[in-house]
Every structure is written in structure tokens, then in C-alpha cells.
């Protein structure tokens, strides 16, 4: 058994005070305990250390050679312990040179300029790194140190904390002049053409497929891709159709010559959330990064009620 296993840490501080005061009553008063409690602690320390530690000389106590040798090292150890448990200084974003890692699907690429501007305004020395959402998301969030995810809310689980950003509303994109879009997109025309499907982080679940199944309908998935940009590129040069979140893809769709039309039936909305690991819940730098990114992203994903 280690010696420290037999000593209460508070008793070591009591010994430090005793060695400074060299008087049981004064030491007890300084610690806010009774004289008998102070005497009891001293007896426990003598037994644990195998040394009297303090000996009476007239009306005071004098340290033994063992106690004299112990005193400066004990004081240094207590200072180190105090420093270890003292709360960190307030986070100063202006002095921060850390890298903020955002894991997110490419469909959220339009939010990046807003996040970069918000971070750069207050923390010009902070860098931003973007990574795709993957099956390793929980592990990567836990590894940190300054890592967030902007992902579908179903990724929340285990020790992951989250904050809802909003919902993505989906429409249908097709190349300009696509026959299915004239005069208007119907369910029959929509399902008659092959679809492009995006899978985020290797997730196979698909809310649109589930909604169609509940209606007794089925679509033909002609292409599966890992990113919305890849899907849009194909749709622009084929007769395939693709469900896309609006208004996030409007700019990219316009640049590629795509038309975006309302879906012929109500499509499920996808909830997106900001995710982080609970071990960073109270970290000052992490909390600042979360609040800053959330304020920049939420207005772009959160639709206000109409009317």
C-alpha cells in the first residue's frame, strides 16, 4: 500500500498550517476546525509518517528534522495542487490560435462563409478545418480538442450533446428543359425517372424512401453518391432527378443550369443539429466556438413560420 493511501489529503494541508503556526490552537482557528480535531489530525499524521513531526518546547511546538525537511516540499506540492484545480482564465478568442474542426456534409457548404466571417471577426488567429461526416463521428468528437459536427439529428446518441439548428426542406432538381418538369412535376413523372440519392456518413436510412413505402410507392435509385455536389453535377448532364434542400442548393443549382421545383408530394424534412462530445461541455474555448458557429448557422437553416 502506498503511503498516500493512508493519509487524507486535507490532513497534509493541516500539517502545512501546523508547521507555519507551530501552535495547535492557532492552526485549528485558521482551518476553521476545533482544537481536538486538529490534535486528532496530528496524531493520524504521526502514525502514518512514523515521526512525531512536532515536539513541545516551552509554550510552542518545534518541527522535528523530518518535518523541517518535509515543509518546503509539502508547500511546493500544495501550490502545484492548488494551481491544478484553479479554474482556467477566461477564454480570449482574440489570442486564440487553435484550429476549429467542423464535420459536416457538403450540402451545408453555403454556411461556411458565415462561420468563417463570424470566427475571423472575433478570433483572427483561429483556423477552420472542414471534414466530412463519417461513421467515426462519435470517436472524432471525443478526440477533440476543438471539434464540432453539423449533421442530421439522428447522429445524436451516447455521450454526444446536441443543439437543434433547424430543418432542411426538400424540393426536386432536374436539368433545364427536363421533360418531367413540363408543364408541372407530377408523382408519376417524378417516379418514372431514375433518382440520385446522397448518403451522408455511410448512412443507408432514407426518409424519402420510407415516406414512399408508406404510400405504397417506389422509386428507382439510379445513382448513389457521397456528396450533393457530385449528385448535382450528374443531374445537370442527364435525365436523372434529385431531391435537394432549399434554399441551400439554390446558388449551386443556378450555376449548373438546374431547375428546382416543389416536390409533387410532401417530402419529410430533415432535422440538423450541432453535435459535440460531453467531455468538452464546460470547456471555455469549445463553448465559445459552439455559440459562435451556432449563431452563424442557425438563421440559414431555421425557417420562420409563414403568415
Amino acid at each position: 500500500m502506498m503511503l498516500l493511501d493512508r493519509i487524507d489529503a486535507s490532513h497534509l494541508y493541516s500539517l502545512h498550517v501546523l508547521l507555519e503556526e507551530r501552535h495547535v490552537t492557532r492552526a485549528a482557528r485558521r482551518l476553521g476546525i476545533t482544537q481536538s480535531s486538529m490534535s486528532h489530525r496530528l496524531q493520524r499524521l504521526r502514525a502514518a509518517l512514523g515521526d512525531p513531526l512536532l515536539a513541545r518546547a516551552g509554550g510552542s511546538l518545534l518541527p522535528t528534522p523530518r518535518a523541517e525537511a518535509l515543509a518546503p516540499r509539502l508547500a511546493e506540492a500544495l501550490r502545484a495542487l492548488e494551481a491544478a484545480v484553479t479554474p482556467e482564465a477566461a477564454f480570449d478568442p482574440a489570442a486564440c490560435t487553435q484550429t476549429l474542426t467542423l464535420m459536416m456534409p457538403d450540402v451545408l457548404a453555403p454556411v461556411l462563409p458565415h462561420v468563417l466571417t463570424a470566427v475571423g471577426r472575433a478570433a483572427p488567429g483561429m483556423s477552420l478545418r472542414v471534414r466530412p461526416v463519417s461513421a467515426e463521428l462519435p470517436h472524432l468528437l471525443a478526440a477533440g480538442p476543438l471539434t464540432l459536427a453539423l449533421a442530421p439529428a439522428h447522429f445524436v446518441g451516447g455521450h454526444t450533446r446536441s443543439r437543434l439548428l433547424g430543418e432542411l426542406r426538400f424540393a426536386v432538381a432536374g436539368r433545364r428543359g427536363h421533360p418531367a418538369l413540363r408543364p408541372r412535376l407530377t408523382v408519376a413523372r417524378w417516379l418514372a425517372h431514375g433518382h440520385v440519392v446522397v448518403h451522408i456518413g455511410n448512412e443507408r436510412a432514407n426518409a424519402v424512401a420510407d415516406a414512399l413505402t408508406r404510400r405504397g410507392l417506389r422509386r428507382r435509385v439510379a445513382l448513389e453518391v457521397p456528396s450533393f455536389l457530385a449528385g448535382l453535377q450528374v443531374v445537370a448532364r442527364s435525365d436523372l432527378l434529385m431531391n435537394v434542400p432549399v434554399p441551400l442548393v439554390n446558388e449551386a443549382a443556378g450555376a449548373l443550369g438546374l431547375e428546382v421545383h416543389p416536390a409533387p408530394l410532401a417530402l419529410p424534412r430533415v432535422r440538423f443539429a450541432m453535435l459535440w462530445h460531453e467531455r468538452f461541455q464546460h470547456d471555455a474555448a469549445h463553448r465559445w466556438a459552439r455559440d459562435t458557429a451556432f449563431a452563424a448557422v442557425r438563421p440559414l437553416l431555421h425557417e420562420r413560420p409563414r403568415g
Side-chain angles (χ1 to χ4, degrees):
M1 179 184 294
M2 293 181 61
L3 180 58
L4 285 177
D5 292 334
R6 293 183 278 125
I7 301 177
D8 189 310
S10 65
H11 290 185
L12 289 175
Y13 182 67
S14 298
L15 176 59
H16 169 68
V17 173
L18 262 173
L19 291 174
E20 287 191 337
E21 296 292 343
R22 300 190 181 187
H23 195 280
V24 172
T25 302
R26 289 198 301 270
R29 188 180 303 120
R30 180 171 159 186
L31 291 169
I33 61 177
T34 64
Q35 182 176 336
S36 61
S37 294
M38 186 73 254
S39 297
H40 177 71
R41 292 186 181 187
L42 178 57
Q43 291 304 319
R44 293 285 300 273
L45 286 163
R46 283 169 168 167
L49 296 175
D51 188 88
L53 299 174
L54 291 150
R56 290 203 171 276
S60 63
L61 296 171
L62 293 179
T64 64
R66 171 79 185 279
E68 282 188 324
L70 178 65
R73 288 179 289 169
L74 179 59
E76 181 181 356
L78 289 171
R79 283 194 297 271
L81 183 60
E82 177 72 17
V85 299
T86 298
E88 295 181 2
F91 174 67
D92 180 11
C96 180
T97 57
Q98 291 179 266
T99 296
L100 170 61
T101 299
L102 281 181
M103 290 185 287
M104 52 180 275
D106 71 321
V107 69
L108 294 184
V111 310
L112 282 176
H114 300 267
V115 176
L116 192 61
T117 297
V119 169
R121 184 182 299 118
M126 181 179 284
S127 301
L128 189 63
R129 176 171 53 202
V130 179
R131 293 288 183 266
V133 174
S134 72
E136 296 297 311
L137 187 144
H139 169 73
L140 296 172
L141 288 177
L146 204 58
T147 304
L148 299 169
L150 308 179
H154 65 257
F155 278 91
V156 178
H159 300 287
T160 302
R161 297 291 187 96
S162 66
R163 193 173 177 186
L164 184 64
L165 288 164
E167 296 180 330
L168 290 187
R169 177 170 54 88
F170 281 79
V172 178
R175 65 172 175 80
R176 186 172 294 139
H178 195 297
L181 305 177
R182 299 289 183 274
R184 66 182 181 86
L185 182 63
T186 64
V187 173
R189 291 192 181 117
W190 182 49
L191 298 180
H193 290 80
H195 287 210
V196 176
V197 175
V198 179
H199 289 294
I200 297 175
N202 296 321
E203 285 288 321
R204 312 312 296 176
N206 189 282
V208 173
D210 293 341
L212 289 173
T213 299
R214 286 193 295 270
R215 290 176 169 83
L217 301 173
R218 186 178 179 182
R219 65 177 175 176
R220 182 175 68 86
V221 176
L223 176 66
E224 296 183 11
V225 291
S227 74
F228 279 86
L229 181 57
L232 292 174
Q233 292 281 351
V234 173
V235 170
R237 294 167 175 80
S238 70
D239 280 341
L240 299 182
L241 299 173
M242 179 177 173
N243 302 322
V244 296
V246 290
L248 287 181
V249 303
N250 287 358
E251 185 174 341
L256 290 169
L258 296 172
E259 296 183 26
V260 179
H261 291 253
L265 51 79
L267 296 182
R269 296 191 176 205
V270 178
R271 303 171 78 216
F272 268 71
M274 174 178 289
L275 286 66
W276 65 95
H277 195 274
E278 64 180 15
R279 71 183 285 243
F280 299 107
Q281 174 70 10
H282 301 291
D283 180 76
H286 206 282
R287 185 167 55 246
W288 179 89
R290 294 196 304 265
D291 291 344
T292 302
F294 184 86
V297 175
R298 180 171 166 78
L300 304 176
L301 271 67
H302 182 68
E303 282 195 329
R304 292 178 175 82
R306 295 180 177 87

